[in-house]
Amino acid sequence: MRRHKRRWAAIPAVIAATGLLGACGTTAEPAAEGPVTIEYWSGLQGTDVLVEEWNEANPDIQVALSTSDGSWGEQFAKLMAALQSGDAPCLMLMPYDYIPSLLVADALTEVTDEVAGYESDYLESTWELVNYAGATYGVPSGSGPMAMYYRADKFAELGIDVPATWEQFEQAARDVSTKAPGTYLIGLGGDSHTDFISLVGQKSDPWFEISDDAWSVDITNPESEEVADYWQRLRDEGLLNMTNRWDPTFYNDLSEGRQLAVIGGAWQAPLLAGNVSGGAGEWAIAPMPNWTEGDVASSSNGGGAQLAIKGCEHPDEAMQFANWLTTDMDAILSLKSFPAMKTDEMSTPDEVKTFFGGAEINQELAEYALAMRPWRYSPTWTEGMTVLGDSMSAFKDGSGTLSDLLATLEAQQIESMKALGISVTEP
């Protein structure tokens, strides 16, 4: 292992103030006289109804909601500008992969003490995503346990068994191609980089970790390379639908039976129910295939956290609201999110249940969530996402491979962290 000795805590303007190693803790303000108002930013449709419900039931802790529109990158930029102008909220919803970047930007407030009593409410895999170097910065708001969604009628028609292993899945992809030319079992488009990461995360240890005041980076590990080689082989053999995931054609392919399955996070289920017209009632769900028969490992795709923002004057009250918002099942489902909390029983919205033939698929997804493997993101992941996007586009058009993606991303992440003065341990 090679280690770059310059400690990231030695760069006051960028690193030391971030508190990634516990330096940015904050002490809750004494209880205020009269109602406390929490400024809250969220871009999820339907949040206004939930805020009204909270405010009616909690006169002493009032939440003032501002809708945060645009992509996550645009919301990140909006927050940075608000912090500079002194107009930042107390609480904000952001994806897990932005948390280390927010820490480097000194945008968060530590709430380790304020949320200590809430830890048991959440899955261990999601709680880890709001904790860095022993400090906690919010509560998990959603998760995305990976699953396989598939056309059960088409599988039966073609004589395809539901694959339990990736070896069986590869054979099923070949069988679909042979028995129904022009039809694909699965796709992996040029904008599916988060899907690819989740596929890797089922087998690989996290690419990033904090240890001994440094970040370790190991993206090109053997397990990640094995996953990359697997999907590259399917692409090279013409077994993948290369339609982009966020292109409208994606739903057309599913509706018209050109693609028979989707492997994705729990949030895929309501999107499929709302956008796929073909096969309603014939879709089913199964665990994502595993690398070893009998294993039940899953991984996460998506989700975010309710984060305490720097300058929050009432972190305790903010976390009370955040905990309610993320552990009230009706609230979670109304936002079309999947919970990050522990739950023994979970209902499925009627329209989703109908699409999946009456199955309580959310209960199944909750079971898959228990098998999610841990993951980590880096302090420069926002830059890495651009590299990922470019590399996935190259994978789609054939000018690059998924192995190239791993190598390019590893080099970029190491270089970008070193540029910030962050101590990095390389493979």
Side-chain angles (χ1 to χ4, degrees), residues 198-215:
S198 295
L199 292 167
V200 170
Q202 183 196 28
K203 187 174 182 62
S204 169
D205 287 337
W207 286 344
F208 310 101
E209 285 291 359
I210 306 174
S211 179
D212 298 327
D213 296 355
W215 282 82

Side-chain angles (χ1 to χ4, degrees), residues 341-352:
M341 69 176 186
K342 297 174 182 175
T343 178
D344 294 326
E345 185 174 347
M346 185 175 174
S347 62
T348 305
D350 289 342
E351 64 275 14
V352 178

Side-chain angles (χ1 to χ4, degrees), residues 286-315:
M288 67 187 300
N290 265 264
W291 291 94
T292 302
E293 190 164 6
D295 283 356
V296 294
S298 183
S299 59
S300 181
N301 185 281
Q306 306 291 348
L307 300 170
I309 304 303
K310 183 181 180 181
C312 178
E313 295 182 355
H314 304 289

Side-chain angles (χ1 to χ4, degrees), residues 68-298:
S68 187
D69 296 323
S71 68
W72 292 120
E74 290 168 338
Q75 293 186 47
F76 178 87
K78 178 182 176 182
L79 177 60
M80 294 302 100
L83 284 166
Q84 287 189 339
S85 64
D87 297 322
C90 176
L91 184 72
M92 186 173 181
L93 171 66
M94 285 294 287
Y96 294 123
D97 50 358
Y98 276 82
I99 294 176
S101 297
L102 288 166
L103 286 168
V104 167
D106 192 21
L108 300 181
T109 286
E110 182 188 339
V111 287
T112 305
D113 293 339
E114 289 83 354
V115 301
Y118 303 143
E119 180 175 356
S120 61
D121 293 338
Y122 300 94
L123 297 166
E124 182 178 350
S125 58
T126 58
W127 188 257
E128 281 297 306
L129 289 165
V130 295
N131 283 266
Y132 284 83
T136 311
Y137 297 93
V139 294
S141 183
S143 68
M146 293 283 277
M148 184 172 71
Y149 309 93
Y150 67 98
R151 281 284 297 269
D153 58 332
K154 295 292 187 181
F155 272 43
E157 180 183 317
L158 296 174
I160 305 295
D161 293 330
V162 177
T165 67
W166 287 112
E167 182 179 7
Q168 294 169 5
F169 187 89
E170 184 172 356
Q171 185 57 52
R174 292 196 178 93
D175 290 344
V176 168
S177 178
T178 300
K179 295 178 179 182
T183 302
Y184 299 92
L185 173 63
I186 199 71
L188 192 65
D191 59 353
S192 298
H193 48 281
T194 60
D195 294 330
F196 174 65
I197 292 168
S198 295
L199 292 167
V200 170
Q202 183 196 28
K203 187 174 182 62
S204 169
D205 287 337
W207 286 344
F208 310 101
E209 285 291 359
I210 306 174
S211 179
D212 298 327
D213 296 355
W215 282 82
S216 61
V217 179
D218 188 9
I219 297 174
T220 56
N221 61 72
E223 293 76 19
S224 296
E225 292 284 5
E226 184 176 346
V227 176
D229 290 345
Y230 176 92
W231 289 94
Q232 187 67 47
R233 183 167 64 251
L234 265 59
R235 187 253 182 274
D236 293 345
E237 293 184 19
L239 299 177
L240 293 181
N241 182 8
M242 304 305 294
T243 297
N244 279 359
R245 169 63 183 84
W246 298 106
D247 189 302
T249 306
F250 171 78
Y251 291 117
N252 293 339
D253 288 347
L254 297 176
S255 296
E256 297 171 13
R258 285 189 294 274
Q259 181 175 321
L260 305 185
V262 176
I263 295 178
W267 50 269
Q268 293 268 10
L271 286 181
L272 293 174
N275 293 281
V276 177
S277 58
E282 300 290 349
W283 284 82
I285 187 174
M288 67 187 300
N290 265 264
W291 291 94
T292 302
E293 190 164 6
D295 283 356
V296 294
S298 183

Side-chain angles (χ1 to χ4, degrees), residues 261-392:
V262 176
I263 295 178
W267 50 269
Q268 293 268 10
L271 286 181
L272 293 174
N275 293 281
V276 177
S277 58
E282 300 290 349
W283 284 82
I285 187 174
M288 67 187 300
N290 265 264
W291 291 94
T292 302
E293 190 164 6
D295 283 356
V296 294
S298 183
S299 59
S300 181
N301 185 281
Q306 306 291 348
L307 300 170
I309 304 303
K310 183 181 180 181
C312 178
E313 295 182 355
H314 304 289
D316 183 63
E317 291 85 350
M319 290 300 106
Q320 289 181 48
F321 167 69
N323 178 250
W324 170 80
L325 190 64
T326 56
T327 58
D328 183 285
M329 187 62 71
D330 291 338
I332 295 166
L333 294 180
S334 74
L335 297 175
K336 300 189 184 302
S337 295
F338 196 81
M341 69 176 186
K342 297 174 182 175
T343 178
D344 294 326
E345 185 174 347
M346 185 175 174
S347 62
T348 305
D350 289 342
E351 64 275 14
V352 178
K353 185 189 296 187
T354 298
F355 183 80
F356 286 94
E360 290 284 359
I361 67 158
N362 276 356
Q363 185 63 43
E364 293 185 54
L365 287 164
E367 294 173 7
Y368 303 164
L370 298 175
M372 288 190 299
R373 300 190 73 226
W375 197 246
R376 278 275 186 224
Y377 298 97
S378 80
T380 58
W381 189 246
T382 52
E383 300 172 35
M385 285 189 286
T386 300
V387 173
L388 274 170
D390 293 342
S391 295
M392 284 300 298

